Amino acid sequence: MATEPERRVGVGHRAAGTLLAALLLLTGCSAGGEEEAADGAGKDHPSAPPTATGTLEQLAEKSGCEPKVQTDADELRQANCTTSTGRYVLTTFATDRGQREWINEAKDYGGSYLVGRRWVAAGEAKVVAVLRGRLGGTVETASPHHSGESGDGGSEEGHSGHHGS
């Protein structure tokens, strides 16, 4: 009876696809130089508080944002947030497994992720670093899946993430 879990995973994949699209809009394909200098990867920040817990709204309040809820589903809730530091996507999850699957898929698109218990804040490295000072958590980073694979000097013809930057 493997078909029943596959259907549930399919629903999660659609939701994850929607969230990943929102993440791409927020983070775009930012310049790599900034990310390396400001992402905090591999660096311990002693001033980070214990990892926050709570609902989407409680986490948003702790981070200093008025959340604009975009997805309100059983398996996850997602909101766009904007603070003086920048924009990010805040997502809460019903299960640890759902959270890990979402992160693993999202990492294919690159970016920086602040990870707590059943929540993730995704945005530019500098925004994630500031959020870590408010929410605690662990920073995870990933390179975009298309990085260095083209062999033609990085041409991204037709890629829509660079308009107006």
Side-chain angles (χ1 to χ4, degrees), residues 16 153 158 160:
S160 61

Side-chain angles (χ1 to χ4, degrees), residues 16-153:
T18 301
L19 295 175
L20 291 175
L23 175 63
L24 287 173
L25 287 173
L26 285 175
T27 62
C29 292
S30 62
E34 269 184 82
E35 189 171 292
E36 292 173 15
D39 70 358
K43 299 176 188 150
D44 288 321
H45 295 285
S47 62
T51 303
T53 59
T55 66
L56 181 79
E57 290 78 10
Q58 291 167 335
L59 292 165
E61 183 178 338
K62 289 176 187 176
S63 69
C65 122
E66 182 71 36
K68 293 184 174 100
V69 177
Q70 300 297 314
T71 303
D72 193 356
D74 290 340
E75 61 272 353
L76 58 84
R77 296 186 71 221
Q78 179 247 329
N80 293 328
C81 285
T82 303
T83 65
S84 60
T85 307
R87 297 182 303 165
Y88 59 97
V89 176
L90 182 61
T91 308
T92 57
F93 301 88
T95 65
D96 295 328
R97 181 178 175 179
Q99 175 186 18
R100 183 45 50 194
E101 288 175 354
W102 185 92
I103 292 169
N104 290 343
E105 287 186 34
K107 282 186 170 184
D108 286 343
Y109 298 91
S112 294
Y113 306 89
L114 181 61
V115 180
R117 177 76 199 279
R118 294 192 180 173
W119 61 263
V120 174
E124 291 184 8
K126 65 182 179 178
V127 176
V128 167
V130 171
L131 287 173
R132 185 168 187 261
R134 297 176 185 163
L135 298 175
T138 304
V139 175
E140 296 185 27
T141 59
S143 297
H145 69 289
H146 63 277
S147 177
E149 292 180 1
S150 65
D152 63 358

